[in-house]
Amino acid sequence: MRRRTFVSSAATALTAAVLPFGRDFAAATATATDVEAVSGQGKQVLLTSAEVTELRASLHGPLLLRGDAGYDETRRIWNGAFDRHPALIARCTGAVDVMQAVQFARSHQLLVAVRGGGHSLPGHSVCESGLMIDLSLMKGVQVDPIRRTALVAPGVLLGQFDREAQAFGLATTAGTVSHTGVAGLTLGGGFGRLARKYGLSIDNLLSADVVTADGKLLKASAQENPDLFWAIRGGGGNFGVVTSFLFQLHPVGPLLFGGNLVYPFENAREILSFVADYVMEAPDELWVDPVLERDADGSGRLLVNVCHCGELKSAERAIDRLRKVRRPIQDSVAPSAYVKLQSEHDDLSPHGRSYYTTGMYAHRLEPALIAHCIERMQEPAAGMAKISFTQNGGAISRVPSDQTGFANRSPMHTLVVRASWDNRDEAETKIAWARATAAGLERFNQGAYANLTHAEKQSRVRLLYGSNLERLIELKTLYDSTNLFRLNPNIEPRKTG
Ligand SMILES: Cc1cc2nc3c(=O)[nH]c(=O)nc-3n(C[C@H](O)[C@H](O)[C@H](O)COP(=O)(O)OP(=O)(O)OC[C@H]3O[C@@H](n4cnc5c(N)ncnc54)[C@H](O)[C@@H]3O)c2cc1C
């Protein structure tokens, strides 16, 4: 396979010394069917039409270029703030397609984005002028009700996973919005309504098939490649492309006691102060997610989303303690189908809107933390915004922090600050509001969840991976020394040679 560097007319004066691969490519020019792309280092790469044709022929699924039918639909991700145009989109239909795409990307040193469910908050699953490895066609879920396991393909969304498992009265920890992808959510950790009882999604992962940066397919489990298995459980997409996940399931529902208690904004301080102690005494079955919400017109409320995955009578007793503090203006908490609870907030996070999300963990909802959030939500610049204070603890915190790549297990809350806007002109104000809100919370910061923060700066990576960062760097250097998989909360490999 030939490798050439694209030299635009404005850049023909570049010397060979600054071009990748140390060769003089000044003669290379694009023809109508060649494809201009970029490398992981941001250098221009020319892919000849023969090379693109060869890649297309090696794939079972379609390869999309700009202008192809389906290209625009496929490049769009959940967060409308990212309008990027990959040079190539490989729509993989199986592990072999992924291996071919990874080998092609590696041999041309292309910038790579990996898309599972497409919900990356910082837009990591789409890239400008690189290769997008799109897994969204890989949709299978195979439940084994005897072993209580599920084999899940990397394009599966949470709603499909829950539905298939619940058909057998089973489930495992998954996120709280059913249109989120299993793949990205799991590899970053995976919090959800069942996490206090059954641990994070990664704590229920039994094995995974991973295409590593050399294009090989490896099994990762406690028995096979255990170091890789350790790293992918929390290290996100840094170590390769997962082509299938095997999960442990548990008997769940089908009816769980859950829903929303909604309070006027004026009662937020009182309720959140109560919740600060309430969550500390809660049984593992109870999960509480208080959210300060504000609409574009400035109206706001506190919504407390609750779910109890235990026996219905004790569930009602546990939630009645909260109900008694003050009568909510809306109370939908009742025995409900688990799959219904899992999708009831879907509409609050619509596709295509622009979002900026940041956040951190905190040990406790201190009065000053609550006061800061209430104050920030009253700022006109907040616009359409939310701040959530999700309860962690329980089984999540009983797993030793060095047992998986995911280290930050002890904080009781995940705080998420989210700004959203429909009008592009508002982006700067909204992002500034979210950043200032998070800056005011820094004194409570106990680390951050890699899946729920933009974490633009490499200096913040330690906050994401905590005490596991050094081992993660070792394994990144072993499995991906050229940082092919860099569009993620990136663990940079050690520089060698
Ligand atoms: C509306 C909404 C609700 C959310 N709720 C929760 C929640 O309840 N709990 C929670 O824990 N998180 C939650 N999150 C955060 C969520 O975990 C991340 O956004 C996650 O990255 C989404 O995964 P995805 O597959 O949909 O995303 P994608 O954008 O497809 O992927 C995100 C990144 O994951 C990596 N990746 C994806 N697939 C693979 C793969 N097969 N192999 C290797 N790497 C891969 C890539 O680096 C990619 O850039 C939520 C996010 C949103 C937008």
Side-chain angles (χ1 to χ4, degrees), residues 78 114-121 124-125 135 154 175-177 180-181 183-185 187 190-191 237 240-242 349 449 451-452 487-488:
W78 169 81
V114 178
R115 176 208 170 105
H119 276 47
S120 166
L121 297 158
H124 284 144
S125 38
L135 308 167
T176 55
V177 173
T180 314
L185 179 129
L187 296 170
F191 290 88
V241 184
V242 175
S349 300
Y449 179 28
N451 269 356
L452 276 177
L487 283 183
N488 44 48

PDB file of all heavy atoms in Angstrom, residues 78 114-121 124-125 135 154 175-177 180-181 183-185 187 190-191 237 240-242 349 449 451-452 487-488, ligand 1:
ATOM      1  N   TRP A  78     -25.226  12.833  18.675  1.00  0.00           N
ATOM      2  CA  TRP A  78     -26.262  13.379  19.561  1.00  0.00           C
ATOM      3  C   TRP A  78     -26.045  14.868  19.835  1.00  0.00           C
ATOM      4  O   TRP A  78     -26.984  15.654  19.782  1.00  0.00           O
ATOM      5  CB  TRP A  78     -26.261  12.569  20.865  1.00  0.00           C
ATOM      6  CG  TRP A  78     -27.086  13.164  21.948  1.00  0.00           C
ATOM      7  CD1 TRP A  78     -28.432  13.062  22.099  1.00  0.00           C
ATOM      8  CD2 TRP A  78     -26.617  13.972  23.040  1.00  0.00           C
ATOM      9  NE1 TRP A  78     -28.834  13.756  23.229  1.00  0.00           N
ATOM     10  CE2 TRP A  78     -27.740  14.312  23.817  1.00  0.00           C
ATOM     11  CE3 TRP A  78     -25.350  14.430  23.435  1.00  0.00           C
ATOM     12  CZ2 TRP A  78     -27.640  15.097  24.961  1.00  0.00           C
ATOM     13  CZ3 TRP A  78     -25.244  15.207  24.572  1.00  0.00           C
ATOM     14  CH2 TRP A  78     -26.390  15.536  25.322  1.00  0.00           C
ATOM     15  N   VAL A 114     -14.176   6.803  16.926  1.00  0.00           N
ATOM     16  CA  VAL A 114     -14.945   5.557  17.064  1.00  0.00           C
ATOM     17  C   VAL A 114     -16.324   5.910  17.589  1.00  0.00           C
ATOM     18  O   VAL A 114     -16.451   6.569  18.622  1.00  0.00           O
ATOM     19  CB  VAL A 114     -14.242   4.579  18.036  1.00  0.00           C
ATOM     20  CG1 VAL A 114     -15.067   3.308  18.211  1.00  0.00           C
ATOM     21  CG2 VAL A 114     -12.836   4.249  17.536  1.00  0.00           C
ATOM     22  N   ARG A 115     -17.349   5.462  16.853  1.00  0.00           N
ATOM     23  CA  ARG A 115     -18.712   5.785  17.260  1.00  0.00           C
ATOM     24  C   ARG A 115     -19.475   4.520  17.646  1.00  0.00           C
ATOM     25  O   ARG A 115     -19.574   3.571  16.869  1.00  0.00           O
ATOM     26  CB  ARG A 115     -19.440   6.458  16.093  1.00  0.00           C
ATOM     27  CG  ARG A 115     -20.890   6.752  16.385  1.00  0.00           C
ATOM     28  CD  ARG A 115     -21.679   6.753  15.088  1.00  0.00           C
ATOM     29  NE  ARG A 115     -23.101   6.804  15.368  1.00  0.00           N
ATOM     30  CZ  ARG A 115     -23.847   7.876  15.219  1.00  0.00           C
ATOM     31  NH1 ARG A 115     -23.323   8.980  14.780  1.00  0.00           N
ATOM     32  NH2 ARG A 115     -25.131   7.838  15.489  1.00  0.00           N
ATOM     33  N   GLY A 116     -20.001   4.521  18.889  1.00  0.00           N
ATOM     34  CA  GLY A 116     -20.891   3.440  19.319  1.00  0.00           C
ATOM     35  C   GLY A 116     -22.313   3.963  19.233  1.00  0.00           C
ATOM     36  O   GLY A 116     -22.964   3.891  18.193  1.00  0.00           O
ATOM     37  N   GLY A 117     -22.793   4.538  20.343  1.00  0.00           N
ATOM     38  CA  GLY A 117     -24.134   5.120  20.357  1.00  0.00           C
ATOM     39  C   GLY A 117     -24.151   6.592  19.984  1.00  0.00           C
ATOM     40  O   GLY A 117     -25.227   7.197  19.897  1.00  0.00           O
ATOM     41  N   GLY A 118     -22.985   7.207  19.809  1.00  0.00           N
ATOM     42  CA  GLY A 118     -22.912   8.597  19.345  1.00  0.00           C
ATOM     43  C   GLY A 118     -23.233   9.652  20.389  1.00  0.00           C
ATOM     44  O   GLY A 118     -23.534  10.791  20.045  1.00  0.00           O
ATOM     45  N   HIS A 119     -23.130   9.321  21.682  1.00  0.00           N
ATOM     46  CA  HIS A 119     -23.503  10.284  22.727  1.00  0.00           C
ATOM     47  C   HIS A 119     -22.320  10.952  23.402  1.00  0.00           C
ATOM     48  O   HIS A 119     -22.474  11.544  24.478  1.00  0.00           O
ATOM     49  CB  HIS A 119     -24.389   9.606  23.784  1.00  0.00           C
ATOM     50  CG  HIS A 119     -25.828   9.580  23.385  1.00  0.00           C
ATOM     51  ND1 HIS A 119     -26.228   9.199  22.135  1.00  0.00           N
ATOM     52  CD2 HIS A 119     -26.956   9.909  24.054  1.00  0.00           C
ATOM     53  CE1 HIS A 119     -27.550   9.278  22.057  1.00  0.00           C
ATOM     54  NE2 HIS A 119     -28.014   9.711  23.209  1.00  0.00           N
ATOM     55  N   SER A 120     -21.149  10.870  22.802  1.00  0.00           N
ATOM     56  CA  SER A 120     -19.988  11.534  23.406  1.00  0.00           C
ATOM     57  C   SER A 120     -20.312  13.009  23.643  1.00  0.00           C
ATOM     58  O   SER A 120     -20.680  13.726  22.709  1.00  0.00           O
ATOM     59  CB  SER A 120     -18.791  11.417  22.462  1.00  0.00           C
ATOM     60  OG  SER A 120     -17.787  12.309  22.860  1.00  0.00           O
ATOM     61  N   LEU A 121     -20.158  13.462  24.865  1.00  0.00           N
ATOM     62  CA  LEU A 121     -20.481  14.863  25.172  1.00  0.00           C
ATOM     63  C   LEU A 121     -19.513  15.815  24.482  1.00  0.00           C
ATOM     64  O   LEU A 121     -19.932  16.826  23.940  1.00  0.00           O
ATOM     65  CB  LEU A 121     -20.506  15.063  26.695  1.00  0.00           C
ATOM     66  CG  LEU A 121     -21.598  14.218  27.356  1.00  0.00           C
ATOM     67  CD1 LEU A 121     -21.303  13.976  28.820  1.00  0.00           C
ATOM     68  CD2 LEU A 121     -22.942  14.881  27.197  1.00  0.00           C
ATOM     69  N   HIS A 124     -16.375  13.284  20.643  1.00  0.00           N
ATOM     70  CA  HIS A 124     -15.238  12.455  20.260  1.00  0.00           C
ATOM     71  C   HIS A 124     -15.566  11.400  19.209  1.00  0.00           C
ATOM     72  O   HIS A 124     -14.659  10.844  18.602  1.00  0.00           O
ATOM     73  CB  HIS A 124     -14.670  11.741  21.503  1.00  0.00           C
ATOM     74  CG  HIS A 124     -13.862  12.648  22.370  1.00  0.00           C
ATOM     75  ND1 HIS A 124     -13.851  12.557  23.740  1.00  0.00           N
ATOM     76  CD2 HIS A 124     -13.041  13.668  22.062  1.00  0.00           C
ATOM     77  CE1 HIS A 124     -13.039  13.486  24.229  1.00  0.00           C
ATOM     78  NE2 HIS A 124     -12.548  14.165  23.232  1.00  0.00           N
ATOM     79  N   SER A 125     -16.839  11.111  18.997  1.00  0.00           N
ATOM     80  CA  SER A 125     -17.154  10.030  18.070  1.00  0.00           C
ATOM     81  C   SER A 125     -17.300  10.489  16.618  1.00  0.00           C
ATOM     82  O   SER A 125     -17.635   9.696  15.744  1.00  0.00           O
ATOM     83  CB  SER A 125     -18.409   9.284  18.526  1.00  0.00           C
ATOM     84  OG  SER A 125     -19.352  10.165  19.062  1.00  0.00           O
ATOM     85  N   LEU A 135     -19.923   2.062  14.389  1.00  0.00           N
ATOM     86  CA  LEU A 135     -20.348   0.721  14.820  1.00  0.00           C
ATOM     87  C   LEU A 135     -21.862   0.614  14.930  1.00  0.00           C
ATOM     88  O   LEU A 135     -22.380  -0.406  15.404  1.00  0.00           O
ATOM     89  CB  LEU A 135     -19.703   0.412  16.180  1.00  0.00           C
ATOM     90  CG  LEU A 135     -18.176   0.605  16.228  1.00  0.00           C
ATOM     91  CD1 LEU A 135     -17.673   0.598  17.662  1.00  0.00           C
ATOM     92  CD2 LEU A 135     -17.477  -0.472  15.410  1.00  0.00           C
ATOM     93  N   PRO A 154     -21.519  -3.597  19.702  1.00  0.00           N
ATOM     94  CA  PRO A 154     -21.126  -2.246  20.118  1.00  0.00           C
ATOM     95  C   PRO A 154     -22.002  -1.107  19.587  1.00  0.00           C
ATOM     96  O   PRO A 154     -21.800   0.038  19.991  1.00  0.00           O
ATOM     97  CB  PRO A 154     -19.705  -2.113  19.567  1.00  0.00           C
ATOM     98  CG  PRO A 154     -19.670  -3.032  18.397  1.00  0.00           C
ATOM     99  CD  PRO A 154     -20.556  -4.186  18.748  1.00  0.00           C
ATOM    100  N   GLY A 175     -27.128   3.176  31.834  1.00  0.00           N
ATOM    101  CA  GLY A 175     -27.397   4.595  32.091  1.00  0.00           C
ATOM    102  C   GLY A 175     -28.877   4.919  32.111  1.00  0.00           C
ATOM    103  O   GLY A 175     -29.731   4.056  31.869  1.00  0.00           O
ATOM    104  N   THR A 176     -29.178   6.184  32.369  1.00  0.00           N
ATOM    105  CA  THR A 176     -30.543   6.588  32.679  1.00  0.00           C
ATOM    106  C   THR A 176     -31.308   7.168  31.491  1.00  0.00           C
ATOM    107  O   THR A 176     -32.457   7.573  31.636  1.00  0.00           O
ATOM    108  CB  THR A 176     -30.523   7.641  33.798  1.00  0.00           C
ATOM    109  OG1 THR A 176     -29.672   8.716  33.385  1.00  0.00           O
ATOM    110  CG2 THR A 176     -29.991   7.055  35.087  1.00  0.00           C
ATOM    111  N   VAL A 177     -30.665   7.249  30.325  1.00  0.00           N
ATOM    112  CA  VAL A 177     -31.350   7.743  29.117  1.00  0.00           C
ATOM    113  C   VAL A 177     -31.222   6.656  28.056  1.00  0.00           C
ATOM    114  O   VAL A 177     -30.114   6.267  27.688  1.00  0.00           O
ATOM    115  CB  VAL A 177     -30.726   9.073  28.631  1.00  0.00           C
ATOM    116  CG1 VAL A 177     -31.299   9.498  27.299  1.00  0.00           C
ATOM    117  CG2 VAL A 177     -30.930  10.170  29.673  1.00  0.00           C
ATOM    118  N   THR A 180     -28.798   6.336  24.845  1.00  0.00           N
ATOM    119  CA  THR A 180     -27.325   6.358  24.991  1.00  0.00           C
ATOM    120  C   THR A 180     -26.764   4.993  24.555  1.00  0.00           C
ATOM    121  O   THR A 180     -27.430   3.969  24.687  1.00  0.00           O
ATOM    122  CB  THR A 180     -26.966   6.607  26.476  1.00  0.00           C
ATOM    123  OG1 THR A 180     -27.758   7.678  26.963  1.00  0.00           O
ATOM    124  CG2 THR A 180     -25.498   6.946  26.663  1.00  0.00           C
ATOM    125  N   GLY A 181     -25.512   4.977  24.081  1.00  0.00           N
ATOM    126  CA  GLY A 181     -24.900   3.728  23.624  1.00  0.00           C
ATOM    127  C   GLY A 181     -24.321   2.906  24.763  1.00  0.00           C
ATOM    128  O   GLY A 181     -23.732   3.448  25.701  1.00  0.00           O
ATOM    129  N   ALA A 183     -21.748   0.949  24.421  1.00  0.00           N
ATOM    130  CA  ALA A 183     -20.287   0.836  24.288  1.00  0.00           C
ATOM    131  C   ALA A 183     -19.537   1.934  25.039  1.00  0.00           C
ATOM    132  O   ALA A 183     -18.760   1.652  25.959  1.00  0.00           O
ATOM    133  CB  ALA A 183     -19.906   0.843  22.805  1.00  0.00           C
ATOM    134  N   GLY A 184     -19.779   3.187  24.654  1.00  0.00           N
ATOM    135  CA  GLY A 184     -19.039   4.286  25.283  1.00  0.00           C
ATOM    136  C   GLY A 184     -19.348   4.371  26.766  1.00  0.00           C
ATOM    137  O   GLY A 184     -18.456   4.602  27.594  1.00  0.00           O
ATOM    138  N   LEU A 185     -20.623   4.173  27.117  1.00  0.00           N
ATOM    139  CA  LEU A 185     -21.028   4.263  28.525  1.00  0.00           C
ATOM    140  C   LEU A 185     -20.278   3.216  29.355  1.00  0.00           C
ATOM    141  O   LEU A 185     -19.714   3.515  30.407  1.00  0.00           O
ATOM    142  CB  LEU A 185     -22.542   4.078  28.640  1.00  0.00           C
ATOM    143  CG  LEU A 185     -23.099   4.116  30.062  1.00  0.00           C
ATOM    144  CD1 LEU A 185     -24.275   5.094  30.186  1.00  0.00           C
ATOM    145  CD2 LEU A 185     -23.529   2.748  30.539  1.00  0.00           C
ATOM    146  N   LEU A 187     -17.435   1.503  28.654  1.00  0.00           N
ATOM    147  CA  LEU A 187     -15.970   1.599  28.700  1.00  0.00           C
ATOM    148  C   LEU A 187     -15.493   2.715  29.622  1.00  0.00           C
ATOM    149  O   LEU A 187     -14.407   2.648  30.194  1.00  0.00           O
ATOM    150  CB  LEU A 187     -15.420   1.775  27.281  1.00  0.00           C
ATOM    151  CG  LEU A 187     -15.691   0.557  26.383  1.00  0.00           C
ATOM    152  CD1 LEU A 187     -15.364   0.862  24.937  1.00  0.00           C
ATOM    153  CD2 LEU A 187     -14.912  -0.658  26.861  1.00  0.00           C
ATOM    154  N   GLY A 190     -19.940   3.552  33.595  1.00  0.00           N
ATOM    155  CA  GLY A 190     -21.343   3.157  33.493  1.00  0.00           C
ATOM    156  C   GLY A 190     -22.117   3.244  34.800  1.00  0.00           C
ATOM    157  O   GLY A 190     -22.209   2.261  35.540  1.00  0.00           O
ATOM    158  N   PHE A 191     -22.672   4.432  35.077  1.00  0.00           N
ATOM    159  CA  PHE A 191     -23.547   4.636  36.236  1.00  0.00           C
ATOM    160  C   PHE A 191     -25.001   4.508  35.798  1.00  0.00           C
ATOM    161  O   PHE A 191     -25.332   4.809  34.655  1.00  0.00           O
ATOM    162  CB  PHE A 191     -23.371   6.058  36.801  1.00  0.00           C
ATOM    163  CG  PHE A 191     -22.043   6.293  37.472  1.00  0.00           C
ATOM    164  CD1 PHE A 191     -20.938   6.712  36.744  1.00  0.00           C
ATOM    165  CD2 PHE A 191     -21.902   6.113  38.837  1.00  0.00           C
ATOM    166  CE1 PHE A 191     -19.719   6.947  37.364  1.00  0.00           C
ATOM    167  CE2 PHE A 191     -20.692   6.345  39.474  1.00  0.00           C
ATOM    168  CZ  PHE A 191     -19.593   6.758  38.732  1.00  0.00           C
ATOM    169  N   GLY A 237     -12.207   4.435  25.336  1.00  0.00           N
ATOM    170  CA  GLY A 237     -11.781   3.942  24.024  1.00  0.00           C
ATOM    171  C   GLY A 237     -10.282   4.028  23.802  1.00  0.00           C
ATOM    172  O   GLY A 237      -9.821   3.883  22.669  1.00  0.00           O
ATOM    173  N   GLY A 240      -8.488   0.355  22.280  1.00  0.00           N
ATOM    174  CA  GLY A 240      -8.902  -0.393  21.097  1.00  0.00           C
ATOM    175  C   GLY A 240     -10.394  -0.240  20.874  1.00  0.00           C
ATOM    176  O   GLY A 240     -11.072   0.492  21.603  1.00  0.00           O
ATOM    177  N   VAL A 241     -10.878  -0.949  19.863  1.00  0.00           N
ATOM    178  CA  VAL A 241     -12.301  -0.875  19.531  1.00  0.00           C
ATOM    179  C   VAL A 241     -12.955  -2.176  19.994  1.00  0.00           C
ATOM    180  O   VAL A 241     -12.591  -3.264  19.538  1.00  0.00           O
ATOM    181  CB  VAL A 241     -12.517  -0.711  18.010  1.00  0.00           C
ATOM    182  CG1 VAL A 241     -14.004  -0.528  17.719  1.00  0.00           C
ATOM    183  CG2 VAL A 241     -11.716   0.469  17.476  1.00  0.00           C
ATOM    184  N   VAL A 242     -13.910  -2.067  20.895  1.00  0.00           N
ATOM    185  CA  VAL A 242     -14.591  -3.259  21.404  1.00  0.00           C
ATOM    186  C   VAL A 242     -15.675  -3.666  20.410  1.00  0.00           C
ATOM    187  O   VAL A 242     -16.517  -2.844  20.022  1.00  0.00           O
ATOM    188  CB  VAL A 242     -15.176  -2.997  22.806  1.00  0.00           C
ATOM    189  CG1 VAL A 242     -15.997  -4.190  23.279  1.00  0.00           C
ATOM    190  CG2 VAL A 242     -14.048  -2.720  23.801  1.00  0.00           C
ATOM    191  N   SER A 349     -33.302  15.169  26.839  1.00  0.00           N
ATOM    192  CA  SER A 349     -31.963  15.259  26.221  1.00  0.00           C
ATOM    193  C   SER A 349     -32.093  14.977  24.727  1.00  0.00           C
ATOM    194  O   SER A 349     -31.582  13.971  24.218  1.00  0.00           O
ATOM    195  CB  SER A 349     -31.013  14.237  26.860  1.00  0.00           C
ATOM    196  OG  SER A 349     -30.885  14.467  28.237  1.00  0.00           O
ATOM    197  N   TYR A 449     -15.772  12.219  36.306  1.00  0.00           N
ATOM    198  CA  TYR A 449     -16.159  11.045  35.511  1.00  0.00           C
ATOM    199  C   TYR A 449     -15.808  11.327  34.048  1.00  0.00           C
ATOM    200  O   TYR A 449     -16.331  12.268  33.452  1.00  0.00           O
ATOM    201  CB  TYR A 449     -17.664  10.821  35.706  1.00  0.00           C
ATOM    202  CG  TYR A 449     -18.248   9.649  34.941  1.00  0.00           C
ATOM    203  CD1 TYR A 449     -17.492   8.525  34.611  1.00  0.00           C
ATOM    204  CD2 TYR A 449     -19.594   9.669  34.558  1.00  0.00           C
ATOM    205  CE1 TYR A 449     -18.048   7.460  33.923  1.00  0.00           C
ATOM    206  CE2 TYR A 449     -20.161   8.604  33.876  1.00  0.00           C
ATOM    207  CZ  TYR A 449     -19.375   7.507  33.553  1.00  0.00           C
ATOM    208  OH  TYR A 449     -19.923   6.453  32.867  1.00  0.00           O
ATOM    209  N   ASN A 451     -16.677  10.106  31.343  1.00  0.00           N
ATOM    210  CA  ASN A 451     -17.781  10.101  30.384  1.00  0.00           C
ATOM    211  C   ASN A 451     -18.673  11.334  30.490  1.00  0.00           C
ATOM    212  O   ASN A 451     -19.528  11.539  29.641  1.00  0.00           O
ATOM    213  CB  ASN A 451     -18.668   8.873  30.617  1.00  0.00           C
ATOM    214  CG  ASN A 451     -18.229   7.691  29.783  1.00  0.00           C
ATOM    215  OD1 ASN A 451     -17.314   7.795  28.982  1.00  0.00           O
ATOM    216  ND2 ASN A 451     -18.882   6.561  29.984  1.00  0.00           N
ATOM    217  N   LEU A 452     -18.509  12.114  31.538  1.00  0.00           N
ATOM    218  CA  LEU A 452     -19.456  13.217  31.724  1.00  0.00           C
ATOM    219  C   LEU A 452     -18.778  14.572  31.826  1.00  0.00           C
ATOM    220  O   LEU A 452     -19.268  15.465  32.501  1.00  0.00           O
ATOM    221  CB  LEU A 452     -20.302  12.988  32.978  1.00  0.00           C
ATOM    222  CG  LEU A 452     -21.521  12.084  32.781  1.00  0.00           C
ATOM    223  CD1 LEU A 452     -22.263  11.862  34.076  1.00  0.00           C
ATOM    224  CD2 LEU A 452     -22.487  12.654  31.740  1.00  0.00           C
ATOM    225  N   LEU A 487      -9.020  10.183  20.230  1.00  0.00           N
ATOM    226  CA  LEU A 487     -10.239  10.982  20.420  1.00  0.00           C
ATOM    227  C   LEU A 487     -11.066  10.347  21.522  1.00  0.00           C
ATOM    228  O   LEU A 487     -11.973   9.554  21.285  1.00  0.00           O
ATOM    229  CB  LEU A 487     -11.025  11.093  19.108  1.00  0.00           C
ATOM    230  CG  LEU A 487     -10.449  12.074  18.102  1.00  0.00           C
ATOM    231  CD1 LEU A 487     -11.339  12.177  16.869  1.00  0.00           C
ATOM    232  CD2 LEU A 487     -10.280  13.467  18.709  1.00  0.00           C
ATOM    233  N   ASN A 488     -10.722  10.680  22.726  1.00  0.00           N
ATOM    234  CA  ASN A 488     -11.345  10.161  23.943  1.00  0.00           C
ATOM    235  C   ASN A 488     -10.716  10.967  25.087  1.00  0.00           C
ATOM    236  O   ASN A 488      -9.812  11.757  24.834  1.00  0.00           O
ATOM    237  CB  ASN A 488     -11.057   8.656  24.095  1.00  0.00           C
ATOM    238  CG  ASN A 488      -9.609   8.313  23.783  1.00  0.00           C
ATOM    239  OD1 ASN A 488      -8.715   8.968  24.287  1.00  0.00           O
ATOM    240  ND2 ASN A 488      -9.376   7.312  22.950  1.00  0.00           N
TER     241      ASN A 488
HETATM  242  C1  LIG B   1     -28.234  12.027  27.283  1.00  0.00           C
HETATM  243  C2  LIG B   1     -27.072  11.370  27.980  1.00  0.00           C
HETATM  244  C3  LIG B   1     -27.297  10.647  29.137  1.00  0.00           C
HETATM  245  C4  LIG B   1     -26.230  10.027  29.792  1.00  0.00           C
HETATM  246  N1  LIG B   1     -26.461   9.309  30.929  1.00  0.00           N
HETATM  247  C5  LIG B   1     -25.459   8.616  31.499  1.00  0.00           C
HETATM  248  C6  LIG B   1     -25.702   7.765  32.607  1.00  0.00           C
HETATM  249  O1  LIG B   1     -26.809   7.647  33.094  1.00  0.00           O
HETATM  250  N2  LIG B   1     -24.662   7.073  33.120  1.00  0.00           N
HETATM  251  C7  LIG B   1     -23.404   7.175  32.605  1.00  0.00           C
HETATM  252  O2  LIG B   1     -22.508   6.508  33.109  1.00  0.00           O
HETATM  253  N3  LIG B   1     -23.137   7.994  31.556  1.00  0.00           N
HETATM  254  C8  LIG B   1     -24.126   8.697  30.997  1.00  0.00           C
HETATM  255  N4  LIG B   1     -23.884   9.503  29.919  1.00  0.00           N
HETATM  256  C9  LIG B   1     -22.517   9.650  29.425  1.00  0.00           C
HETATM  257  C10 LIG B   1     -22.202   8.507  28.486  1.00  0.00           C
HETATM  258  O3  LIG B   1     -21.711   7.437  29.254  1.00  0.00           O
HETATM  259  C11 LIG B   1     -21.143   8.924  27.461  1.00  0.00           C
HETATM  260  O4  LIG B   1     -21.632   9.995  26.718  1.00  0.00           O
HETATM  261  C12 LIG B   1     -20.760   7.750  26.565  1.00  0.00           C
HETATM  262  O5  LIG B   1     -19.576   8.093  25.904  1.00  0.00           O
HETATM  263  C13 LIG B   1     -21.836   7.429  25.559  1.00  0.00           C
HETATM  264  O6  LIG B   1     -21.508   6.281  24.848  1.00  0.00           O
HETATM  265  P1  LIG B   1     -21.933   6.144  23.313  1.00  0.00           P
HETATM  266  O7  LIG B   1     -21.496   4.828  22.847  1.00  0.00           O
HETATM  267  O8  LIG B   1     -23.340   6.556  23.145  1.00  0.00           O
HETATM  268  O9  LIG B   1     -21.069   7.309  22.702  1.00  0.00           O
HETATM  269  P2  LIG B   1     -20.105   7.457  21.462  1.00  0.00           P
HETATM  270  O10 LIG B   1     -20.109   8.903  21.168  1.00  0.00           O
HETATM  271  O11 LIG B   1     -20.432   6.542  20.369  1.00  0.00           O
HETATM  272  O12 LIG B   1     -18.738   7.034  22.057  1.00  0.00           O
HETATM  273  C14 LIG B   1     -18.075   7.828  23.008  1.00  0.00           C
HETATM  274  C15 LIG B   1     -16.638   7.419  23.019  1.00  0.00           C
HETATM  275  O13 LIG B   1     -16.544   6.104  23.551  1.00  0.00           O
HETATM  276  C16 LIG B   1     -15.569   5.379  22.846  1.00  0.00           C
HETATM  277  N5  LIG B   1     -16.220   4.230  22.211  1.00  0.00           N
HETATM  278  C17 LIG B   1     -17.508   4.115  21.823  1.00  0.00           C
HETATM  279  N6  LIG B   1     -17.727   2.883  21.362  1.00  0.00           N
HETATM  280  C18 LIG B   1     -16.566   2.213  21.460  1.00  0.00           C
HETATM  281  C19 LIG B   1     -16.149   0.884  21.177  1.00  0.00           C
HETATM  282  N7  LIG B   1     -16.991  -0.027  20.715  1.00  0.00           N
HETATM  283  N8  LIG B   1     -14.861   0.543  21.397  1.00  0.00           N
HETATM  284  C20 LIG B   1     -13.991   1.442  21.900  1.00  0.00           C
HETATM  285  N9  LIG B   1     -14.330   2.703  22.196  1.00  0.00           N
HETATM  286  C21 LIG B   1     -15.605   3.078  21.991  1.00  0.00           C
HETATM  287  C22 LIG B   1     -14.926   6.307  21.857  1.00  0.00           C
HETATM  288  O14 LIG B   1     -13.801   6.908  22.448  1.00  0.00           O
HETATM  289  C23 LIG B   1     -15.990   7.338  21.655  1.00  0.00           C
HETATM  290  O15 LIG B   1     -15.482   8.587  21.296  1.00  0.00           O
HETATM  291  C24 LIG B   1     -24.933  10.143  29.263  1.00  0.00           C
HETATM  292  C25 LIG B   1     -24.704  10.874  28.100  1.00  0.00           C
HETATM  293  C26 LIG B   1     -25.764  11.480  27.463  1.00  0.00           C
HETATM  294  C27 LIG B   1     -25.512  12.276  26.225  1.00  0.00           C
END
